[in-house]
Amino acid sequence: MASSAKKVFAASRLPRHTGLSAWVAMLPRRKEKPHLEGHATADVVVIGGGFAGLSAARRLRELDPTLKITVLEAGVIGEAAAGRNSGFIIDLPHDVSSQDYGSDTVARSREAIEISRTAIALASTVAAEEGWSRDVFDPCGRYSVSIGSEGDHHLADYAKALVKLDEKHQLMTASDIADVTGTTTYTSALFTPGTVMVQPAAYIRGLADSLRDPVRIHEKTPAVQIEEAGAGWLVKTPQGSIGCGRIILANNGHAESFGFFKSRLLHIFTFASMTHEFDPVRLPGQRKWAATPALPMGTTVRRVEGGTGDRILVRSRYTYHPNIEAGEGTLRRASAKHDEKYRARFPALKDIPMQFRWGGAMAVTLNAVPAFGEIERGIFAACGCNGVGATKATANGIAAAELMLGQKTRMTEIFARFDAPRSLPPQPFRTIGAKANLAYREWRAGAE
């Protein structure tokens, strides 16, 4: 990777995506920014045009409007992992309900909430400036829903922890949540008002298009090599190159494709399906809601309101792929699980089939910390979202931008205390362990 003359980091692979995301399919065709041709220069190059990269570019521009910033996106804005999630920008951590809920746990949870709300603040500011509708950006809150006694107990414990944190919430009965969802499947729910729901592909497109000069974006322009060039760096692309002083690496798991964080990132795929449109009168309840499962690895569900009909999104199934690519066979198996979960929840809609099915990658570290910081002189990483990517990747990008410019903020203070990502077990034990762990967690989730 490195030579005595200069350091060179070459990409061993480029992103590949499985299935067509419904979020992209439901939007008009994007007018892409031009790909990079020839040689250019910039003060900062951001590699990756998703939540982390675009948020980093936004924050850099806020802090220093004179910076020449170039964002390189390997594909089309909105079609990569950022446009493939379920659209939850969540403010509360998933695990605040431990039985020994002491002062250290409270402090850690409050810092996690502060990180998340910093991300939401950036997103809210952009939404207000750009005048986005609630179809794109909706601060509507979310429901955590249970199917069975184990989930019910978890939600009750979670509510007790939220009391300690002085966070607003509402525990709901089976009847309460049935009035919202139109189904009697759920046995209880917990509503928290701080989550923002987005149409993720539209959000990412809008965030990209809100970045104006001196920020430049090049789509279908993958970075294929990074090499030292004097006091700075040269980023090579298939048809060009760009010289710069500093780099923000915001390509999540594909940081490892350049040799960074080797054997420290687990590449996990999640999968989703979305139905054809149906007549809203077919399903009672509210026409727009979003629910995450009470138990980890359960099923996320959204009802998406449309102008000519509504749709149901189902997200479930987690698989490990060390090559950062999930095949069509994996998607088919996940889709069968989605159909099973969908029919169990919405028997009245069993004649409405799925129209779109897709997968998306996330990068997880063994100790659940971001892959973050100055990893080479002038190269700053904002990777390793560990799930909840819309929130955590946004925060990673903000913190990386502030760190790069030497800002002392709450974000840089909190991120400075994170440990480095731990090394993973060697192969084949890594793959065996990851697959066994995911299978066990899905089994524990059961009907959830």
Side-chain angles (χ1 to χ4, degrees), residues 60-262:
L60 286 170
R61 189 175 184 276
E62 287 177 346
L63 293 170
D64 187 350
T66 67
L67 284 174
K68 289 177 59 181
I69 302 163
T70 297
V71 179
L72 302 180
E73 167 54 38
V76 176
I77 293 288
E79 294 186 6
R84 291 171 167 267
N85 65 52
S86 299
F88 291 73
I89 310 183
I90 296 174
D91 63 330
L92 298 176
H94 283 314
D95 53 351
V96 297
S97 55
S98 61
Q99 295 300 313
D100 56 341
Y101 202 70
S103 59
D104 287 347
T105 307
V106 171
R108 287 196 300 271
S109 292
R110 285 185 172 145
E111 285 194 345
I113 293 168
E114 189 173 358
I115 289 171
S116 298
R117 288 183 176 157
T118 299
I120 289 173
L122 180 146
S124 300
T125 298
V126 177
E129 289 176 356
E130 300 298 309
W132 292 343
S133 72
R134 288 201 167 215
D135 290 336
V136 176
F137 185 91
D138 190 356
C140 59
R142 70 174 168 119
Y143 301 90
S144 293
V145 292
S146 171
I147 300 177
S149 59
E150 187 177 357
D152 295 341
H153 289 139
H154 179 83
L155 292 182
D157 286 345
Y158 193 101
K160 291 175 185 176
L162 293 181
V163 171
K164 290 180 180 291
L165 290 167
D166 196 26
E167 290 290 337
K168 294 180 179 178
H169 63 281
Q170 178 190 354
L171 271 172
M172 304 173 68
T173 66
S175 176
D176 294 332
I177 191 62
D179 289 341
V180 173
T181 63
T183 175
T184 58
T185 304
Y186 300 118
T187 54
S188 68
L190 177 70
F191 177 74
T192 50
T195 291
V196 172
M197 297 306 304
V198 298
Q199 205 284 31
Y203 173 91
I204 288 297
R205 285 187 183 185
L207 179 56
D209 293 341
S210 75
L211 297 172
R212 301 173 180 94
D213 284 341
V215 180
R216 299 288 179 89
I217 296 175
H218 294 289
E219 299 181 49
K220 292 185 178 177
T221 305
V224 297
Q225 185 166 294
I226 303 168
E227 62 182 53
E228 273 188 316
W233 296 93
L234 182 69
V235 181
K236 294 184 177 180
T237 70
Q239 294 178 279
S241 62
I242 182 163
C244 62
R246 290 170 288 184
I247 294 169
I248 289 183
L249 198 66
N251 55 352
N252 212 13
H254 277 281
E256 191 175 30
S257 301
F258 286 89
F260 299 111
F261 304 108
K262 192 172 182 180

